[in-house]
């Protein structure tokens, strides 16, 4: 019984490929069905986010480890070979460790981001409801969710702010009691503004007004976020009525000038105005920062907050990794203990049968002598079992080897066919991208900022 | 009854230490268990505190003239105003500050022999006057505390110093609301205490004059609090100005209590 994970992630595949192979929620039931019927998995769970598409499960007996990859590729026309070129397959303990790290947010693009835990939970619920989750997933996924919770509670890995969009929200949250009461306006409708507006929209802001030089682009973004558009020429008027202003254009001169905004600000009450100028060169006149109630921040300010948050999180990474490692060890110990139970029962039965066969064979024994021999050999079997049990449970002595050498029949595996016990789990891995790239080194300066 | 009071007096510093520690964990680390427990701990400590002061009041009708009782009562008032505000606003990140103040007041009160004898209290209206003053001072203290936190958060945001205070303090709006609401409570209790002070002062055996420095300063504090509250309501004043106003009022109130009393014939020092 061995967990397997096959897929690709932001560590191994470019964004375009990840977008192409990502599965929409409505496609997942069909994908799970395909993985079981075509992919050769007896249990399956699909985790598909913008940063990873992975399948976790158990291979059927004699099934090639590449088959789930091929099944994933079949779900997307034009994705042939992409999983095998950019993906990875891990088995055994490494797959368990990978799932634990993913669920704890240690493998995420933004270290410690919290959404992944909910995504794993939803993927598991779907696998349960479609009937593709079996005994192995029922054991390993809830444990992964527990480990994720423990890592988040006991370390700083999920604390603080670690992205530019998060820094923008953090600044707004320090100004306003309730973001749900905030009106947001943007100057520009490009990727940077869109990311910030999506993050604010996710926090349930009251309204969004998009201004942009190209009205069509503004309308597209406003439609996506349920907002409205306004002419760029009226930016100052809308900014004075808003609570949060996000600006990022490629204009050479500031589009929001102090001279335009200052007279309008007098009509505002005591409510603060947070201005996030994410443009380079700047889109907002720096003189605005001197106005009462206005809090102006540039991209450097937000980047500084995010860098600091990432550094704080990264400093606690060793502790988080230690929790995952100990959880994997504990999981292995429990699994072996569980798997050893039928073998221990078979061993005890076999030894007792041997003992009674030997005693029965000697017809010269009196009843008193037979009772003594039975008592002594009973003690002997008991002591032998006490010594063997821990070694069988921790895998020092493979149960199958011991039973075979004593000529005792092997029991059936507790939940499904037994697979050979591997002590070197790395031998079961197939990484199509060369050296292992799923390590913790993803907090560098070139790390993209969007969350999973 | 006295043994229960003694037990509560001994337990109260421990209870407030636990509440302050839980709030400190929420402030520094945002820990979930602490977040779950800080409010029940504070409410429990405030309840025990109330029982203690009621027991002391029942056992000695002169309690209001005991410095230990007054200090403890200010602590309880701070706790009650904070618990009510926290319940209404729903944020627990600033609880460490009032809880620490209450802890200090409770420890000082315990050291001053809360259960010892106190001078006679002449009439019941004096008790209401003193109780109103205690609650008003508690309101002023909290208002100045949250005003100070508001100014600190505003300074951090303006100077772009995104350190621990910026991370842990709640929003400017929330701190401003805490400060203004505390000031509203202070204004209401000051009105009560001034009214009953008039009743007490006009008694034939007391020398009462409106020109007395104590009365003049108290009326100034009341007027200042009312002006700030009304100005904020009418949007004539900005949050930072009212925060400074709350701090000034509290400083004047402390001076009124510690210094002006020496020159007053109403409250001889």
């Amino acid at each position: 019984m061995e967990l397997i994970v096959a897929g690709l992630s932001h560590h191994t595949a470019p964004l375009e490929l990840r977008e192409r192979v990502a599965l929409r929620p409505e496609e997942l039931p069909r994908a799970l069905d395909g993985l079981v019927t075509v992919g050769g998995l007896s249990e399956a769970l699909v985790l598909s986010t913008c940063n990873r598409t992975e399948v976790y499960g158990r291979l059927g007996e004699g099934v090639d480890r590449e088959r789930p990859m091929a099944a994933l590729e079949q779900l997307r026309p034009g994705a042939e070979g992409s999983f095998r070129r950019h993906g990875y397959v891990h088995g055994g303990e490494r797959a368990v460790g990978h799932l634990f790290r993913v669920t704890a947010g240690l493998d995420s693009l933004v270290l410690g981001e919290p959404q992944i835990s909910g995504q794993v939970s939803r993927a598991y619920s779907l696998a349960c409801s479609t009937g593709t989750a079996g005994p192995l997933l029922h054991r390993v996924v809830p444990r992964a969710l527990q480990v994720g919770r423990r890592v988040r509670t006991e370390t700083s890995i999920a604390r603080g702010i670690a992205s530019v969009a998060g820094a923008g929200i953090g600044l707004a949250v320090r100004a306003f009691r309730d973001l749900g009461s905030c009106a947001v306006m943007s100057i520009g409708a490009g990727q940077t503004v869109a990311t910030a507006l999506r993050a604010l929209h996710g926090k349930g802001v009251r309204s969004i007004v998009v201004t942009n030089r190209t009205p069509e682009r503004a309308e597209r973004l406003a439609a996506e976020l349920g907002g409205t558009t306004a002419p760029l020429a009226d930016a100052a008027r809308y900014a004075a009525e808003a609570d949060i202003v996000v600006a990022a254009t490629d204009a050479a001169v500031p589009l929001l000038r102090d001279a335009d905004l200052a007279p309008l600000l007098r009509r505002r009450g005591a409510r603060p105005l947070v201005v996030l100028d994410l443009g380079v060169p700047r889109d907002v006149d720096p003189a605005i920062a001197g106005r009462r109630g206005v809090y102006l921040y540039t991209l450097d300010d937000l980047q500084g907050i995010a860098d600091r948050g990432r550094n704080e999180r990264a400093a606690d990474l060793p502790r988080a990794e230690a929790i995952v490692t100990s959880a994997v060890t504990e999981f292995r110990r429990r699994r072996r203990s569980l798997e050893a139970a039928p073998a221990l029962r078979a061993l005890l039965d076999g030894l007792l049968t041997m003992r009674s066969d030997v005693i029965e064979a000697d017809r010269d024994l009196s009843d008193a002598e037979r009772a003594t021999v039975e008592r002594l050999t009973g003690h002997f079997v008991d002591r032998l079992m006490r010594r063997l049990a821990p070694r069988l449970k921790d895998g020092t002595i493979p149960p199958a080897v011991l039973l075979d050498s004593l000529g005792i029949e092997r029991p059936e595996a507790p939940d499904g066919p037994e697979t050979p016990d591997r002590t070197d789990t790395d031998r079961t891995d197939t990484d199509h991208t060369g050296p292992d790239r799923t390590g913790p080194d993803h907090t560098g300066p070139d790390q993209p900022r969007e969350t999973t | 009854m006295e043994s229960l009071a003694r037990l509560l007096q001994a337990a109260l510093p421990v209870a407030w230490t636990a509440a302050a520690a839980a709030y400190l964990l929420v402030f520094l680390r945002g820990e979930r268990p602490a977040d779950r427990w800080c409010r029940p701990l504070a409410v429990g400590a405030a309840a025990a505190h109330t029982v203690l002061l009621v027991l002391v009041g029942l056992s000695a009708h002169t309690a209001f003239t005991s410095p230990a009782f007054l200090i403890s009562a200010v602590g309880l008032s701070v706790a009650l105003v904070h618990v009510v505000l926290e319940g209404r606003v729903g944020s627990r990140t600033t609880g460490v500050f009032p809880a620490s103040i209450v802890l200090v007041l409770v420890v000082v009160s315990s050291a001053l022999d809360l259960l010892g004898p106190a001078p006679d209290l002449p009439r019941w209206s004096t008790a209401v006057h003193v109780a109103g003053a205690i609650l008003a001072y508690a309101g002023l203290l909290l208002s100045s505390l949250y005003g100070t936190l508001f100014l600190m958060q505003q300074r951090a945001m303006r100077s772009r110093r995104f350190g621990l205070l910026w991370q842990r303090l709640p929003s400017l709006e929330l701190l401003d609301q805490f400060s203004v609401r505390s000031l509203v409570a202070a204004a209401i209790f000051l009105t009560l205490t001034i009214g009953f002070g008039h009743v007490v002062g006009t008694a034939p055996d007391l020398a009462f004059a409106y020109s007395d420095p104590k009365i003049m300063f108290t009326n100034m504090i009341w007027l200042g609090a009312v002006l700030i509250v009304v100005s904020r309501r009418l949007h004539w004043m900005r949050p930072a100005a009212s925060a400074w106003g709350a701090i000034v009022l509290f400083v004047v109130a402390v001076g009124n209590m510690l210094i002006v009393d020496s020159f007053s014939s109403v409250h001889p020092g």
Side-chain angles (χ1 to χ4, degrees):
Chain A
M1 189 184 82
E2 186 181 72
L3 184 73
I4 188 168
V5 53
L8 51 78
S9 75
H10 60 97
H11 289 299
T12 62
L15 178 64
E16 299 73 41
L17 178 59
R18 298 203 306 271
E19 282 175 342
R20 203 163 67 235
V21 300
L23 295 163
R24 291 188 298 276
E26 64 270 21
E27 293 177 304
L28 290 172
R30 194 171 66 88
L32 285 168
D33 186 52
L35 284 162
V36 172
T37 53
V38 182
L41 291 171
S42 55
E43 294 180 39
L45 173 151
V46 174
L47 178 64
S48 188
T49 72
C50 52
N51 285 323
R52 68 181 69 247
T53 296
E54 290 176 335
V55 54
Y56 293 85
R58 182 165 66 165
L59 275 180
E61 229 174 334
V63 175
D64 179 25
R65 294 157 54 88
E66 305 288 320
R67 242 171 87 183
M69 293 271 220
L72 279 172
E73 286 168 0
Q74 280 174 19
L75 293 166
R76 278 280 177 273
E80 289 83 10
S82 53
F83 274 91
R84 275 168 281 194
R85 271 197 306 279
H86 296 278
Y88 44 81
V89 182
H90 301 313
E93 271 177 37
R94 195 162 176 194
V96 173
H98 181 79
L99 175 62
F100 286 7
R101 292 185 79 253
V102 165
T103 312
L106 305 185
D107 198 56
S108 295
L109 195 58
V110 174
L111 184 62
E113 56 93 5
Q115 292 93 331
I116 189 68
S117 162
Q119 287 160 339
V120 170
S121 179
R122 282 194 292 279
Y124 176 56
S125 298
L126 184 69
C128 290
S129 62
T130 52
T132 57
L136 177 59
L137 289 176
H138 287 320
R139 202 179 303 156
V140 74
V141 181
R143 183 73 190 124
L145 292 167
Q146 273 178 6
V147 172
R149 271 196 294 276
R150 203 184 142 203
V151 166
R152 286 188 174 83
T153 311
E154 293 181 16
T155 71
S156 320
I157 216 81
R159 294 197 186 121
I161 293 164
S163 68
V164 167
I169 288 174
L171 285 164
V173 161
R174 262 66 174 191
F176 302 103
R177 184 184 159 189
D178 174 22
L179 285 187
S181 67
C182 291
V184 179
M185 73 90 62
S186 79
I187 300 172
Q191 191 56 46
T192 308
V193 164
T195 304
L197 288 190
R198 281 186 198 116
L200 287 165
H201 179 66
K203 294 287 173 187
V205 292
R206 177 164 54 88
S207 64
I208 294 175
V209 177
V210 184
T211 64
N212 193 45
R213 190 167 289 137
T214 320
E216 295 77 26
R217 205 167 180 185
E219 277 159 18
R220 268 203 307 276
L221 186 57
E224 180 198 329
L225 302 172
T228 55
T229 59
L232 188 60
D234 293 339
R237 183 162 69 83
Y238 282 95
E241 289 169 7
D243 299 302
I244 303 166
V245 175
V246 182
T249 70
D250 51 7
V253 292
L255 298 174
L256 189 61
R257 287 174 305 190
D258 184 48
D260 299 332
L261 188 64
L264 300 167
L265 284 177
R266 288 192 199 111
R267 274 183 252 148
R268 282 179 70 90
R271 206 162 159 79
L273 172 63
V274 174
V275 183
L276 307 174
D277 182 2
L278 310 180
V280 179
R282 287 187 279 188
D283 291 312
V284 179
D285 186 349
I288 285 173
R291 298 287 164 196
R292 275 185 184 173
V294 177
Y295 300 88
L296 172 64
Y297 302 103
T298 63
L299 186 61
D300 281 355
D301 298 324
L302 271 65
Q303 190 69 62
I305 295 171
D307 286 347
R308 190 185 168 130
R310 276 200 289 265
N311 290 341
E312 282 173 6
R313 288 184 181 193
D316 229 5
L317 190 57
R319 265 199 327 140
E321 292 285 3
I323 289 173
V324 168
T325 306
S326 83
V328 172
T329 308
E330 177 62 16
F331 185 80
R332 175 185 58 199
R333 196 189 62 74
R334 283 192 187 185
R335 194 200 68 180
R336 285 194 173 150
S337 176
L338 198 72
E339 286 176 352
L344 280 168
R345 209 170 299 122
L347 179 65
L348 179 63
D349 290 345
L351 289 175
L352 290 175
T353 308
M354 276 186 212
R355 181 188 74 155
S356 53
D357 287 351
V358 171
I359 295 172
E360 291 298 327
D362 193 339
R363 294 171 189 280
D364 297 335
L365 290 174
S366 66
D367 286 349
E369 286 170 336
R370 186 181 300 275
T372 305
V373 169
E374 276 182 353
R375 185 165 52 81
L376 290 174
T377 51
H379 286 321
F380 174 73
V381 170
D382 184 44
R383 196 168 287 185
L384 192 64
M385 288 301 294
R386 278 175 197 276
R387 292 204 175 176
L388 284 173
R391 286 169 178 75
L392 287 167
K393 283 180 179 176
D394 68 14
T396 317
I397 303 172
V401 174
L402 181 65
L403 293 175
D404 288 350
S405 58
L406 291 173
I408 298 170
E409 197 180 337
R410 285 196 214 174
E412 274 195 18
D415 40 25
E418 191 179 29
T419 54
D421 201 359
R422 291 183 177 88
T423 48
D424 179 10
T425 53
D426 280 356
R427 277 185 297 155
T428 69
D429 298 323
T430 314
D431 195 332
H432 300 273
T433 57
D436 178 26
R437 294 169 65 188
T438 58
D441 184 22
H442 51 267
T443 54
D446 56 343
Q447 181 192 340
R449 292 176 209 112
E450 279 71 41
T451 57
T452 302
Chain B
M1 194 182 283
E2 195 183 324
S3 56
L4 177 60
R6 290 206 179 279
L7 181 71
L8 283 173
Q9 191 188 8
L12 218 48
V14 179
W16 278 113
T17 303
Y23 277 118
L24 185 66
L25 284 175
V26 173
F27 181 73
L28 290 178
R29 300 177 60 86
E31 284 188 1
R32 273 189 210 153
D35 189 60
R36 209 166 34 242
W37 281 103
C38 61
R39 187 166 167 79
L41 282 170
V43 171
H49 202 152
T50 309
V51 172
L52 172 65
L53 294 193
V54 167
L55 287 177
V56 173
L58 288 177
S59 63
H61 301 290
T62 57
F64 272 118
T65 58
S66 148
F69 185 90
L70 291 175
I71 290 169
S72 191
V74 171
L76 176 62
S77 306
V78 170
L80 292 177
V81 175
H82 164 71
V83 163
V84 170
L85 279 178
E86 188 186 68
R88 291 193 66 176
V89 179
S91 169
R92 290 167 193 183
T93 44
T94 53
V96 62
F97 301 103
S100 304
I101 290 171
V102 179
L103 175 61
V104 170
L105 293 173
V106 162
V107 169
V108 171
S109 160
S110 299
L112 290 175
D113 189 13
L114 179 64
L115 303 173
D120 255 356
L121 189 68
R123 48 188 75 81
W124 68 270
S125 50
T126 311
V128 180
H129 168 71
V130 174
I134 289 168
L135 287 165
Y137 280 123
L140 286 173
L141 193 158
L142 281 176
S143 182
S144 66
L145 170 70
Y146 289 118
T148 307
L149 294 177
F150 173 90
L151 293 171
M152 286 164 75
Q153 178 70 301
Q154 192 188 45
R155 191 173 164 76
M157 288 181 73
R158 281 218 173 277
S159 59
R160 297 171 170 77
R161 280 204 299 262
F162 305 115
L164 185 71
L165 271 179
W166 174 78
Q167 282 178 35
R168 297 299 180 210
L169 285 180
S171 67
L172 292 173
E173 274 192 343
L174 191 70
L175 291 168
D176 179 42
Q177 273 183 11
F178 266 91
S179 179
V180 172
R181 286 182 187 182
S182 304
L183 202 58
V184 169
I188 291 168
F189 289 120
L190 267 177
T191 309
L192 182 80
T193 204
I194 288 171
F196 273 87
H198 186 81
V199 172
V200 173
T202 50
D205 55 331
L206 279 176
F208 179 84
Y210 285 107
S211 57
D212 187 279
K214 178 73 183 181
I215 292 167
M216 285 175 66
F217 270 90
T218 307
N219 287 342
M220 272 170 52
I221 294 166
W222 173 83
L223 188 64
V226 170
L227 278 177
I228 291 173
V229 169
V230 171
S231 303
R232 286 305 308 278
R233 180 68 71 181
L234 298 174
H235 302 294
W236 290 346
M237 190 181 265
R238 290 195 160 270
S242 71
W244 277 114
I247 294 167
V248 169
L249 284 180
F250 178 66
V251 171
V252 174
V254 171
N256 192 28
M257 199 162 42
L258 300 178
I259 302 166
V260 178
D261 274 0
S262 311
F263 307 102
S264 168
S265 57
V266 181
H267 282 238

